[in-house]
Amino acid sequence: MASVLLAVFVNGKICKDPNMVNADDFFFPGLNKPGNTSNAQGSKVTPVNVNQLPGLNTLGISLVRIDYAPYGLNPPHTHPRATEVLVVVEGTLFVGFVTSNPADPKDKNKLFTKTLYPGDVFVFPEGLIHFQFNVGKTEAFVFAGLSSQNPGVITIANAVFGSDPPITLDVLTKAFQVDANVIKYLQAQFN
């Protein structure tokens, strides 16, 4: 009788046959190299999650390096499956996160911010919208650990104004309480 090898599917990834695992499954080179920040935001996120490093599957942890040009921004985004712990290596960053909607509709979402310097650590709780902005005249970079091997990321502006197909003008003009031309302008930035 022939033996049957069944694949084990864990956290959205198929586990590698243990007999085929090697040291390269647990190795990622290059986080010592700055990312290319020549883009509209002036930042580059280099992820090291289960997609780049298969050995992370089931371990509940991942890492990123984020590089910032002077005045570069890692725009408002959220990680639906992870808390992020960020440590500044070089530069000065203004960082913050916004709380989820309060129970009382009369209350407003609260913004927590801090200016960080080399060696400072800041935590962004799971699922909350957060950002980092390089307020310095020099480049900056950080490392951040995330509490999931596959934390996911939703960049707010890209998701709202750059979806395919686009969210209708009726929805966005009512949600943001602005003229349709403002929405069209914002959508054009992401197409």
Side-chain angles (χ1 to χ4, degrees):
M1 176 179 248
S3 64
V4 176
L5 180 63
L6 298 175
V8 179
F9 195 67
V10 180
N11 298 318
K13 296 290 176 184
I14 294 177
C15 285
K16 193 170 185 178
D17 178 344
N19 295 320
M20 302 301 291
V21 171
N22 63 57
D24 286 338
D25 293 317
F26 300 91
F27 174 73
F28 181 90
L31 280 187
N32 60 322
K33 297 175 185 148
N36 182 356
T37 60
S38 298
N39 56 58
Q41 300 298 335
S43 68
K44 171 63 176 164
V45 177
T46 303
V48 183
N49 58 48
V50 71
N51 296 315
Q52 292 79 31
L53 191 59
L56 288 174
N57 200 22
T58 76
L59 298 183
I61 193 166
S62 60
L63 175 73
V64 297
R65 174 184 171 138
I66 311 171
D67 291 280
Y68 309 84
Y71 308 105
L73 171 70
N74 188 9
H77 64 283
T78 182
H79 303 289
R81 296 179 293 276
T83 291
E84 178 178 340
V85 180
L86 178 138
V87 60
V88 177
V89 179
E90 273 183 22
T92 304
L93 297 179
F94 177 70
V95 304
F97 68 87
V98 180
T99 59
S100 56
N101 293 349
D104 186 342
K106 291 179 276 182
D107 292 338
K108 294 190 180 264
N109 300 71
K110 187 169 181 178
L111 173 65
F112 291 88
T113 64
K114 196 80 174 160
T115 300
L116 304 180
Y117 303 93
D120 289 348
V121 174
F122 198 80
V123 175
F124 302 105
E126 181 176 338
L128 296 186
I129 297 170
H130 59 283
F131 62 89
Q132 303 102 34
F133 179 64
N134 181 3
V135 294
K137 296 177 183 175
T138 62
E139 295 176 342
F141 84 92
V142 304
F143 289 112
L146 296 115
S147 63
S148 170
Q149 68 274 354
N150 190 13
V153 63
I154 302 167
T155 306
I156 306 307
N158 297 30
V160 173
F161 299 111
S163 68
D164 184 16
I167 299 172
T168 67
L169 286 175
D170 290 338
V171 170
L172 294 178
T173 55
K174 188 163 186 125
F176 288 96
Q177 301 175 14
V178 296
D179 184 84
N181 288 326
V182 173
I183 299 300
K184 288 177 187 175
Y185 172 80
L186 291 169
Q187 287 176 324
Q189 306 312 301
F190 296 91
N191 292 321

